[in-house]
């Protein structure tokens, strides 16, 4: 019954959201926005109507933005392309250059449109909303006056459409061998969870094996954050091997390669191990218990009727100065009992010279709205897509001057959008590779598993008290206590006496109709604790450490600060309005209009990070490393992207990463030739080709730096090519179409 209400609410929200977004796209199309912006809106709408997969959509956002960038950059003598004429590990994209036409603007818009169109049609071909998405793409092409039947990729004749088609074709080929396993529907190749699944509707967590490792959930009908029902029961870990994907700006010096079960895990910006707990209680760290207990305590803040009122304006929220690096620092940074952090707020709006006006609201509404707004974007475009909606909002502010880094001439809308999307897309892609590489390797537990498991064992605060266990949950008066004989939770015959109880959000079983009911906060048995999520979702299907939200958001905040040359939102204020009893999805609320407000981009990022604690899906140990790593990636990706605009990137192949040779084209059409190229021109080499069954079917020798091989006799499928070079044997994959 509850699940049906939640599914219906999600469907209604998606329908209403779709209608609003269709109107938004129509307005974009008939307005003065650039063609890049129009295609970005279609792309974001594609993400909203696809499965909610942040890694895959970060890759889509980057590679489609990079395709549009290349279609712009080839017409600019001072800019370097990203894919055209470049190596990216073993992939090479040939490009002979073009003749600059007389109408550069028209040529650019046409090439950009065909590149984006072909990419969107390909990447969303298996989407549950593919008919709607592809319909939007077709409609935009029609509105722009382009014939989608123009499929030639022969750009040498000077047709911009052919150039766009060639860029898209090349990007698609690149994507089929970039380490994402797109050809295998992005499925995991090696990862296996160590814990048996938790069924959230059952009591406690009695079957967990390792309290430090991720635990899958068993949900009869899982509904992802885009509202797509997935009736698969056990939910797989999304992208634990994503560290292998070819990045944008990440460097070999940034990566540590680990091995587990004969599998390599590539971890960029390795933050080190998260806080662990030992099952024996020996050598355990209190960081683990303190951090997950804090998540439970913040759950008690989610009642708008508790009388706690906060000023959530920039006068009181934001302006965090430093992040903690010690246990004591963590405990001082977060207010474990009342919520929030050490942000001091801002005295004045620097753009108006006036103080920010207070906005006094119930803390329970603020926490709930944060948890919902930042979960995956207000319209389910996933965290990386959410920051594209934010940058589009910023770009539409009349106060914004579109000067790169806030300096020099004002750029036209197309150049601004192309460069902004290229930088932000590359940054989000690098964050996904980094965060999910860390998630896959450290495989860290989520709060629902940790809180229930600790509470099942008992309390860890008083060795002389009842139900003591050194690896239990610490008691906090008024928040985490033991059930006594006279407690209403003691149950029939006192069966629950001595168990752990929590002051927390009561959970979805207290909501019959989410359009009229809200659960509220009260004492509950810890074995029944839920994050602030709907019962068909519960928690994201991947490990917690590190927080993707914290990493995506802080990296994006750095990009927006550098791009605009101003840490503040245009006019000194960014905001989003959540209307009374209209915004929350799985319970009624908020109880009044709530306007989320941010003075700076970092303030928005920091608020996003806190939302994950109120949402019950991250402890502090997941949060802070994500913010720190995100800041590094945002700054370095911006500087790296800037080199393309200055024409300083001539070849991005990195000779320190394997393999040290290239197969081109790959994939190759059956009947055509392909070439194996050594990156060491003076070295001869031998090539062996194996079929999918491991049988060697060809062996060739070359005394030159390359060898051309016919596909004659090779049926469509996947082959392994082994090459012997002076430094050892290297293996690559060949796809014959």
């Amino acid at each position: 019954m509850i699940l049906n209400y939640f599914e219906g609410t999600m469907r209604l929200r998606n329908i209403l959201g779709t209608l609003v977004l269709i109107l938004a796209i129509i307005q974009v199309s008939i307005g003065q926005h650039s063609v890049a912006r129009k295609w970005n809106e279609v792309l974001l709408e594609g993400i909203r109507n696809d499965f909610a997969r942040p890694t895959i959509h970060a890759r889509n956002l980057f590679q489609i933005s990079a395709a549009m960038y290349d279609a712009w950059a080839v017409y600019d003598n001072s800019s370097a392309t990203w894919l055209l004429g470049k190596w990216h590990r073993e992939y090479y994209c040939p490009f002979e250059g073009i003749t600059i036409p007389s109408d550069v603007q028209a040529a650019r818009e046409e090439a950009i449109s065909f590149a984006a169109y072909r990419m969107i049609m390909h990447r969303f071909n298996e989407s549950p909303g593919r008919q709607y998405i592809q319909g939007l793409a077709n409609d935009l092409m029609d509105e722009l006056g382009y014939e989608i039947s123009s499929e030639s990729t022969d750009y040498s004749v000077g047709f911009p459409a052919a150039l766009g088609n060639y860029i898209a074709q090349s990007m698609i080929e690149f994507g089929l061998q970039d380490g994402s396993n797109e050809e295998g529907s992005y499925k995991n190749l090696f990862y296996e969870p160590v814990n048996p699944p938790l069924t959230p509707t059952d009591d406690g967590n009695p079957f967990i094996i390792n309290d430090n490792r991720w635990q899958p959930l068993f949900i009869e009908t899982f509904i992802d954050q885009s509202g797509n029902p997935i009736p698969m029961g056990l939910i797989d870990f999304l992208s634990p091997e994503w560290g292998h994907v070819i990045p944008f700006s990440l460097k070999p010096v940034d990566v540590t390669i680990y091995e587990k079960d004969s599998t390599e895990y590539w971890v960029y910006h390795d933050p080190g191990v998260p806080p662990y707990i030992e099952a024996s209680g020996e050598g355990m760290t209190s960081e683990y218990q303190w951090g997950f207990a804090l998540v439970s305590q913040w759950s008690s803040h989610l009642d708008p009727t508790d009388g706690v009122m906060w000023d959530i304006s920039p006068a009181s929220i934001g302006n965090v100065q430093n992040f903690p690096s010690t246990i004591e620092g963590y405990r001082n940074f977060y207010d474990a009992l009342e919520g929030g952090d050490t942000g001091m707020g801002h005295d004045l709006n620097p753009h108006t010279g006036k103080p920010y006006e207070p906005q006094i609201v119930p803390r329970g509404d603020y926490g709930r709205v944060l948890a919902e707004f930042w979960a995956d974007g207000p319209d389910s475009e996933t965290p990386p897509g959410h920051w594209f909606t934010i940058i589009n909002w910023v770009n539409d502010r009349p106060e914004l001057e579109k000067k790169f880094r806030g300096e020099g001439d004002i750029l036209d809308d197309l150049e601004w959008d192309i460069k902004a999307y290229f930088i932000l897309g590359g940054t989000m892609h690098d964050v996904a590779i980094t965060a999910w590489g860390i998630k896959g390797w450290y495989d860290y537990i989520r709060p629902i598993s940790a809180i229930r498991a600790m509470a099942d064992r008992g309390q860890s605060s008083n060795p002389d008290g009842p139900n003591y266990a050194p690896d239990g949950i610490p008691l906090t008066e008024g928040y985490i206590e033991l059930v006594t004989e006279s407690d209403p939770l003691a149950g029939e015959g006192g069966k629950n006496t001595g168990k752990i109880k929590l002051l927390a959000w009561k959970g979805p079983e207290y909501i019959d109709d989410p359009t009229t009911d809200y659960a509220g906060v009260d004492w509950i048995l810890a074995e029944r604790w839920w994050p602030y999520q709907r019962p068909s979702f519960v928690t994201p299907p991947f490990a917690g450490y590190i927080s993707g939200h914290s990493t995506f958001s802080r990296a994006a905040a750095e990009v927006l600060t550098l791009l605009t040359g101003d840490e503040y939102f245009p006019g000194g204020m960014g905001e989003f309005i959540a209307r009374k009893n209209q915004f929350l999805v799985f319970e009624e609320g908020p109880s009044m209009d709530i306007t989320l407000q941010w003075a700076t981009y970092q303030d928005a990022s920091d608020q996003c990070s806190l939302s994950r604690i109120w949402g019950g899906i991250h402890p502090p140990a997941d949060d802070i490393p994500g913010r720190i790593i995100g800041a590094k990636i945002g700054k370095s990706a911006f500087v790296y992207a800037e080199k393309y605009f200055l024409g300083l990137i001539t070849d991005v192949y990195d000779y320190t990463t394997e393999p040290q040779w290239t197969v081109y084209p790959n994939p190759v059409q059956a009947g055509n030739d392909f070439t194996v190229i050594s990156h060491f021109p003076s070295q001869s080499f031998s090539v062996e080709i194996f079929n999918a069954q491991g049988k060697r079917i060809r062996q060739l020798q070359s005394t030159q730096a390359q060898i051309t091989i016919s596909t004659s006799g090779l049926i469509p499928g996947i082959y392994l090519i082994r090459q012997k070079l002076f430094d050892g044997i290297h293996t690559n994959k060949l796809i014959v179409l």
Side-chain angles (χ1 to χ4, degrees):
M1 183 69 171
I2 293 174
L3 185 59
N4 289 336
Y5 272 119
F6 278 90
E7 290 179 8
T9 302
M10 287 300 296
R11 281 194 289 268
L12 178 61
R13 178 190 180 209
N14 287 341
I15 291 170
L16 294 174
T18 295
L19 292 173
V20 171
L21 288 162
I22 289 172
L23 292 174
I25 289 173
I26 291 172
Q27 290 172 348
V28 166
S29 298
I30 63 176
Q32 299 302 312
H33 289 299
S34 75
V35 71
R37 168 68 177 273
K38 295 174 184 179
W39 283 110
N40 181 257
E41 295 286 359
V42 174
L43 172 55
L44 289 171
E45 186 69 349
I47 293 171
R48 294 175 185 119
N49 287 271
D50 194 17
F51 298 110
R53 303 172 293 183
T55 49
I56 292 160
H57 291 311
R59 174 176 172 268
N60 284 334
L61 284 160
F62 169 57
Q63 292 185 0
I64 294 173
S65 295
M68 293 197 296
Y69 168 76
D70 270 17
W72 179 90
V74 293
Y75 296 101
D76 184 80
N77 291 328
S78 62
S79 298
T81 55
W82 184 82
L83 185 68
L84 296 176
K86 300 291 191 301
W87 293 98
H88 288 281
R89 287 192 191 161
E90 65 269 25
Y91 183 83
Y92 177 69
C93 179
F95 183 61
E96 301 299 328
I98 61 168
T99 301
I100 304 298
S102 57
D103 191 342
V104 169
Q105 183 75 1
R108 275 177 165 160
E109 292 183 353
E110 186 172 350
I112 287 167
S113 295
F114 274 88
Y117 173 77
R118 301 295 179 198
M119 287 286 293
I120 289 170
M121 296 297 280
H122 170 77
R123 289 288 168 84
F124 294 96
N125 189 46
E126 302 297 326
S127 169
R130 61 184 174 276
Q131 291 183 334
Y132 168 65
I133 299 164
Q134 293 177 352
L136 285 179
N138 285 327
D139 288 347
L140 182 52
M141 288 292 278
D142 183 63
E143 177 193 317
L144 295 171
Y146 302 134
E147 293 290 339
I148 60 175
S149 59
S150 300
E151 297 181 345
S152 172
T153 58
D154 184 7
Y155 62 86
S156 65
V157 297
F159 294 143
L163 175 63
N165 289 336
Y166 178 73
I167 292 171
Q169 175 186 285
S170 300
M171 192 70 79
I172 290 168
E173 291 175 353
F174 166 71
L176 292 174
Q177 55 82 72
D178 68 350
S180 65
N181 193 28
E182 180 185 340
E183 68 272 22
S185 299
Y186 307 102
K187 292 180 180 178
N188 301 336
L189 298 176
F190 308 107
Y191 174 85
E192 294 289 342
V194 301
N195 282 313
L198 167 67
T199 302
T201 52
D202 293 345
D203 291 344
N205 191 2
F207 304 116
I208 191 168
I209 295 170
N210 190 328
D211 286 31
N212 298 316
R213 300 285 291 277
W214 181 72
Q215 182 178 34
L217 301 181
F218 184 88
I219 304 173
E220 289 187 4
T221 300
F222 176 77
I223 299 178
D224 71 16
Q225 286 180 293
S226 292
N228 299 298
I230 305 173
M232 57 193 311
L234 186 63
I235 310 303
D236 289 335
F237 191 133
L238 174 72
S239 307
E241 301 145 11
W242 208 250
H244 289 276
V245 177
I246 296 176
F248 172 58
S249 67
L250 300 174
K251 308 175 188 67
V253 71
D254 299 329
V255 70
T256 302
I257 300 177
Y258 293 105
E259 186 171 327
K260 179 170 57 183
D261 300 327
S262 301
T263 302
E264 286 187 351
Y265 284 82
W266 287 35
V267 179
Y268 290 89
H269 296 295
D270 184 7
V273 297
Y276 289 148
I277 189 170
E278 299 296 334
S280 66
E282 297 176 1
M284 65 183 181
T285 64
S286 60
E287 290 175 84
Y288 180 105
Q289 291 158 303
W290 171 82
F292 286 111
L294 180 142
V295 175
S296 162
Q297 290 160 193
W298 281 31
S299 179
S300 71
H301 303 158
L302 302 176
D303 188 343
T305 66
D306 64 7
V308 179
M309 304 295 287
W310 276 12
D311 176 14
I312 64 167
S313 76
S316 300
I317 300 269
N319 198 17
V320 171
Q321 297 297 301
N322 297 292
F323 295 136
S325 58
T326 64
I327 296 175
E328 182 181 3
Y330 270 71
R331 298 190 182 196
N332 291 331
F333 183 81
Y334 299 93
D335 189 329
L337 300 185
E338 298 301 322
D341 56 25
T342 58
M344 303 180 298
H346 302 265
D347 293 332
L348 297 173
N349 180 332
H351 289 266
T352 65
K354 299 178 181 179
Y356 289 98
E357 294 184 8
Q359 183 191 174
I360 309 299
V361 305
R363 178 186 59 181
D365 278 335
Y366 176 65
R368 294 189 301 159
V369 168
L370 283 196
E372 178 64 27
F373 175 77
W374 289 109
D376 58 346
D379 295 298
S380 301
E381 53 271 303
T382 74
H386 190 183
W387 280 93
F388 272 78
T389 69
I390 291 174
I391 200 172
N392 285 339
W393 185 91
V394 168
N395 290 343
D396 288 344
R397 297 306 96 196
E399 303 94 336
L400 177 69
E401 287 190 323
K402 295 181 178 179
K403 297 180 178 180
F404 191 79
R405 283 187 176 269
E407 302 172 347
D409 297 332
I410 293 177
L411 304 184
D412 65 62
D413 288 348
L414 180 60
E415 181 175 356
W416 176 267
D417 289 342
I418 284 288
K419 290 182 175 179
Y421 296 153
F422 180 65
I423 301 169
L424 186 58
T427 303
M428 297 294 94
H429 183 52
D430 281 355
V431 166
I433 292 168
T434 300
W436 267 256
I438 294 168
K439 288 176 183 287
W441 170 245
Y442 288 108
D443 198 29
Y444 197 53
I445 193 169
R446 287 280 187 175
I448 189 172
S449 298
I451 291 171
R452 288 192 181 194
M454 287 192 298
D456 281 353
R457 296 190 178 94
Q459 56 88 12
S460 63
S461 296
N462 183 4
D464 299 323
N467 199 10
Y468 172 73
D471 53 352
I473 193 168
L475 300 177
T476 303
E477 184 177 358
Y479 294 90
I480 305 173
E481 298 181 358
L482 291 173
V483 175
T484 63
E485 291 181 356
S486 61
D487 197 302
L489 293 174
E492 185 178 353
K495 64 179 181 179
N496 295 324
T497 300
K499 287 185 177 182
I500 304 296
K501 67 175 183 178
L502 309 173
L503 185 66
W505 183 66
K506 292 192 293 183
E509 64 182 294
Y510 288 87
I511 304 168
D512 290 326
D513 184 349
T515 64
T516 59
D517 301 337
Y518 70 94
V521 168
D522 204 346
W523 287 102
I524 63 170
L525 293 175
E527 64 192 27
R528 302 291 298 169
W529 183 85
W530 284 78
Y532 185 70
Q533 308 288 329
R534 64 184 186 273
S536 55
F537 179 75
V538 185
T539 198
F542 39 82
Y545 184 75
I546 57 176
S547 167
H549 280 79
S550 294
T551 319
F552 279 126
S553 294
R554 184 55 193 268
E558 296 292 347
V559 166
L560 282 161
T561 297
L562 289 167
L563 176 67
T564 62
D566 190 348
E567 64 180 318
Y568 286 82
F569 278 86
M573 176 81 86
E575 60 182 23
F576 173 84
I577 300 175
R579 295 297 181 190
K580 177 181 177 180
N581 292 333
Q582 295 180 24
F583 180 69
L584 298 183
V585 171
F586 49 88
E587 67 174 355
E588 185 186 43
S591 65
M592 60 183 292
D593 286 354
I594 300 291
T595 303
L596 300 182
Q597 296 177 321
W598 322 286
T600 69
Y601 302 114
Q602 183 181 328
D603 289 348
S605 167
D606 290 338
Q607 188 187 79
C608 174
S609 297
L610 296 183
S611 78
R612 301 302 82 213
I613 302 177
W614 271 306
I617 62 173
H618 281 298
D622 295 349
D623 172 22
I624 297 299
R627 299 198 210 189
I628 293 170
I629 291 171
K632 291 179 182 177
I633 293 174
K635 293 173 183 175
S636 62
F638 186 94
V639 172
Y640 182 70
E642 194 172 20
K643 293 180 181 178
Y644 282 93
F645 309 152
L646 299 173
L648 300 178
I649 302 293
T650 57
D651 192 344
V652 296
Y653 183 84
D654 181 8
Y655 290 88
T656 66
T657 59
E658 295 186 0
Q660 297 171 338
W661 55 296
T662 297
V663 178
Y664 175 80
N666 189 10
V668 60
Q669 292 288 337
N672 294 343
D673 295 344
F674 64 94
T675 301
V676 177
I677 305 171
S678 171
H679 289 199
F680 296 90
S682 62
Q683 298 295 322
S684 61
F685 59 89
S686 66
V687 175
E688 297 173 303
I689 303 177
F690 297 82
N691 63 18
Q693 289 72 44
K695 180 180 179 181
R696 188 175 69 187
I697 56 178
R698 288 194 194 171
Q699 184 173 13
L700 305 98
Q701 294 285 139
S702 174
T703 59
Q704 306 296 322
Q706 66 182 50
I707 182 172
T708 298
I709 303 172
S710 171
T711 59
S712 176
L714 300 182
I715 63 174
I718 298 176
Y719 296 85
L720 294 179
I721 300 179
R722 191 168 71 176
Q723 182 187 28
K724 294 181 180 179
L725 287 171
F726 75 98
D727 64 340
I729 296 174
H730 304 270
T731 302
N732 200 353
K733 181 166 55 179
L734 172 70
I735 301 173
V736 178
L737 301 177

